[in-house]
Amino acid sequence: MISRPKGTNDLLPDNIWRWQKLEQLIREECARFNYHEIRTPIFEETGLFQRGLGEATDIVEKEMYTFDDKGGRSMTLRPEGTASVVRAYIENNLQGTGLPVKLYYLGPMFRYERPQAGRYRQFHQFGVECFGSSEPSLDAEVIVLAYSIYTKLGAKNVQLKLNSIGCPNCRPKYLEKLKEALKERRDSLCDNCRKRSETNPLRVLDCKEKDCQPAIAELPRITDYLCDECRDHYGKVKSILKLWNVEYVEDSRLVRGLDYYTKTVFEFLVESLGAQNAVGGGGRYDGLVEEIGGEPTPAVGFAMGIERTILAVGDSWQKDPDVDLYIVAIGDTKDAALTQLKLARDHGLKAEMDHLNRSVKAQFKQANRLNAKYCLILGPDELANNLVKLRNMQDGEEIQLSLNDWLGGIK
Ligand code: AMP
């Protein structure tokens, strides 16, 4: 027996309704915010992610599913959505459709990570990307869009963390200071942080190793080094969030895993999820479009992890009944049942009947198992008089209706 690859999941009917509900809410909310769906390929040329995400990121260094195709080209299963959307934005000249261009995507992502609860090798993200404006109102908008989805889902205790990581004008100065401070504390850092101190010093700030924390607490804060433009931008994002009554916590250690961010970065956390408690995050990336070969274009976006978001919702959702109507055929009434089944479905009811020659008692049991709201009972004597019975499965009440008119009885 071959089993599914490590770190992947089969989404089964007893859970997929949660996904569908979340996806529906996402689509409705995106429509309210005027974001439009884009679907890009699941694999791209490897270079796109190397250039877009940065060589010294965890994803590019060790987590990509990269393979040579039969033509000898290096391809990679997308580990995240932004680089592909940026590529598609440039390649399809979407800037010509009018700025800002507001896009969203939903789909599987692939990272070769060590699987654990809430961390998979194939997982799913919903994300939005907004191109063509450097206005802080759009940073706030993507945050509010995510916030609004978490709120409407009923996900409890979602915390929004906010920071600014500056821009190519002010960050280099900070990085110099940071590197100096890291050098002084080299002996108090884990191996990974020592390496990161050279290759990607910002990432040391979000190291989770307990032993590194005292040293990290002493490191300089990026928010003390922001240039006027970045400070002003950050201030405006915060004041718009206040205007919209969005609660946030500032965290000067929040840096996010990817190189492309500028200015605003944010993350949504749900403490109760344990180690994998980030349910989404994002930020501004004003340099990425140019990096990938387009015109200089400011942009901002975020991505939400679908699996973790569903975990955060827990059991607070009620599943809709599987069927509105179950048709119970007594004796030799199967043809009549088939006719009524088609009629019910043609009229938009979710309808089912027995296909296993069950006894009448077992048919009712099956109707209960499917949470049917009504049973249409077809007995040979009643049918001979063009009559049927309709049982309300909630209160057990039965009424007799004409065979030609029972649909009206339901409505
Ligand atoms: P990132 O692109 O790393 O910022 O991820 C955005 C969101 O995707 C995270 O906040 C998680 O909710 C989710 N996510 C990232 N990696 C994984 C993974 N390996 N398994 C499940 N969810 C993930």
Side-chain angles (χ1 to χ4, degrees):
M1 170 62 201
I2 297 171
S3 4
R4 63 177 187 264
K6 211 172 146 187
T8 66
N9 292 298
D10 296 316
L11 294 172
L12 303 178
D14 70 347
N15 195 31
I16 203 147
W17 61 274
R18 297 174 199 275
W19 286 65
Q20 291 163 344
K21 209 170 154 128
L22 173 54
E23 286 165 9
Q24 191 185 342
L25 179 71
I26 284 169
R27 291 182 195 287
E28 286 167 4
E29 216 52 19
C30 282
R32 283 190 193 108
F33 281 73
N34 191 30
Y35 282 76
H36 301 273
E37 186 174 8
I38 180 166
R39 298 188 194 186
T40 62
I42 278 173
F43 62 95
E44 299 269 2
E45 280 185 28
T46 303
L48 174 67
F49 302 114
Q50 286 169 333
R51 236 157 88 192
L53 277 55
E55 295 277 3
T57 52
D58 282 350
I59 293 182
V60 173
E61 271 184 353
K62 35 185 200 218
E63 294 171 1
M64 295 209 299
Y65 276 92
T66 297
F67 59 96
D68 285 339
D69 72 7
K70 290 196 196 303
R73 290 168 288 256
S74 178
M75 296 289 166
T76 294
L77 299 184
R78 63 179 185 197
E80 56 100 61
T82 304
S84 309
V85 175
V86 170
R87 195 238 348 107
Y89 172 82
I90 300 168
E91 194 168 338
N92 298 287
N93 291 315
L94 293 187
Q95 79 278 4
T97 59
L99 300 179
V101 175
K102 296 163 71 166
L103 304 170
Y104 81 91
Y105 59 84
L106 250 171
M109 306 292 160
F110 306 85
R111 296 184 194 171
Y112 194 82
E113 297 197 83
R114 201 167 41 80
Q116 61 184 89
R119 188 159 77 184
Y120 314 101
R121 290 183 173 169
Q122 175 172 339
F123 61 99
H124 296 73
Q125 283 185 344
F126 151 62
V128 308
E129 315 293 353
C130 176
F131 297 97
S133 167
S134 48
E135 280 299 301
S137 49
L138 287 172
D139 305 43
E141 178 175 277
V142 299
I143 293 173
V144 159
L145 170 51
Y147 193 84
S148 159
I149 291 173
Y150 292 122
T151 309
K152 290 193 173 165
L153 287 174
K156 283 180 209 81
N157 304 321
V158 180
Q159 191 189 43
L160 167 61
K161 283 196 173 170
L162 193 64
N163 193 21
S164 172
I165 56 166
C167 69
N169 289 329
C170 51
R171 203 185 310 157
K173 230 177 284 162
Y174 169 70
L175 288 179
E176 242 170 65
K177 292 276 173 206
L178 180 63
K179 276 186 182 169
E180 265 171 43
L182 286 169
K183 221 181 254 166
E184 288 162 17
R185 290 165 184 79
R186 206 180 144 75
D187 294 342
S188 328
L189 297 172
C190 69
D191 286 349
N192 202 21
C193 281
R194 278 185 210 165
K195 200 178 122 218
R196 287 276 184 252
S197 300
E198 308 292 331
T199 57
N200 197 346
L202 271 187
R203 289 307 310 274
V204 175
L205 296 174
D206 71 355
C207 174
K208 303 282 182 288
E209 284 292 325
K210 220 170 136 203
D211 293 347
C212 293
Q213 300 313 312
I216 289 175
E218 292 170 2
L219 295 171
R221 290 163 184 271
I222 186 144
T223 34
D224 295 333
Y225 291 82
L226 296 179
C227 60
D228 289 347
E229 188 190 315
C230 286
R231 189 185 317 278
D232 181 54
H233 185 95
Y234 190 33
K236 284 183 176 145
V237 172
K238 288 187 283 187
S239 71
I240 299 167
L241 290 177
K242 282 188 191 130
L243 191 72
W244 284 341
N245 292 322
V246 175
E247 278 179 40
Y248 59 83
V249 178
E250 287 185 71
D251 179 357
S252 64
R253 309 277 170 218
L254 177 68
V255 291
R256 314 260 313 126
L258 308 172
D259 276 4
Y260 55 59
Y261 290 109
T262 49
K263 296 184 176 155
T264 316
V265 289
F266 58 91
E267 208 152 71
F268 289 94
L269 303 170
V270 175
E271 276 321 322
S272 59
L273 290 183
Q276 304 305 318
N277 61 0
V279 290
R284 181 163 276 287
Y285 51 94
D286 289 343
L288 185 61
V289 177
E290 197 178 1
E291 176 71 36
I292 290 181
E295 297 290 314
T297 307
V300 58
F302 83 87
M304 165 187 292
I306 301 287
E307 284 84 352
R308 288 187 205 169
T309 299
I310 286 175
L311 284 172
V313 171
D315 285 335
S316 58
W317 286 352
Q318 280 256 317
K319 184 172 186 272
D320 290 339
D322 287 330
V323 301
D324 303 313
L325 182 78
Y326 193 89
I327 299 179
V328 174
I330 302 173
D332 189 16
T333 58
K334 189 144 187 182
D335 279 357
L338 288 165
T339 307
Q340 301 311 312
L341 178 67
K342 171 129 189 331
L343 189 74
R345 288 174 175 168
D346 286 349
H347 280 78
L349 292 176
K350 294 190 283 179
E352 187 55 288
M353 65 178 274
D354 170 53
H355 295 283
L356 291 170
N357 296 318
R358 288 182 171 95
S359 70
V360 173
K361 196 173 153 204
Q363 289 182 52
F364 278 113
K365 214 167 143 190
Q366 180 66 2
N368 274 325
R369 216 179 60 78
L370 297 176
N371 262 326
K373 285 187 243 171
Y374 294 96
C375 277
L376 186 73
I377 307 163
L378 306 181
D381 296 344
E382 282 106 340
L383 274 185
N385 294 310
N386 270 333
L387 293 171
V388 293
K389 276 193 200 135
L390 189 68
R391 182 187 293 186
N392 181 329
M393 297 299 281
Q394 238 139 47
D395 55 20
E397 204 173 297
E398 264 181 33
I399 48 172
Q400 203 162 50
L401 293 164
S402 138
L403 177 62
N404 305 321
D405 194 30
W406 63 266
L407 270 164
I410 281 197
K411 280 173 188 145

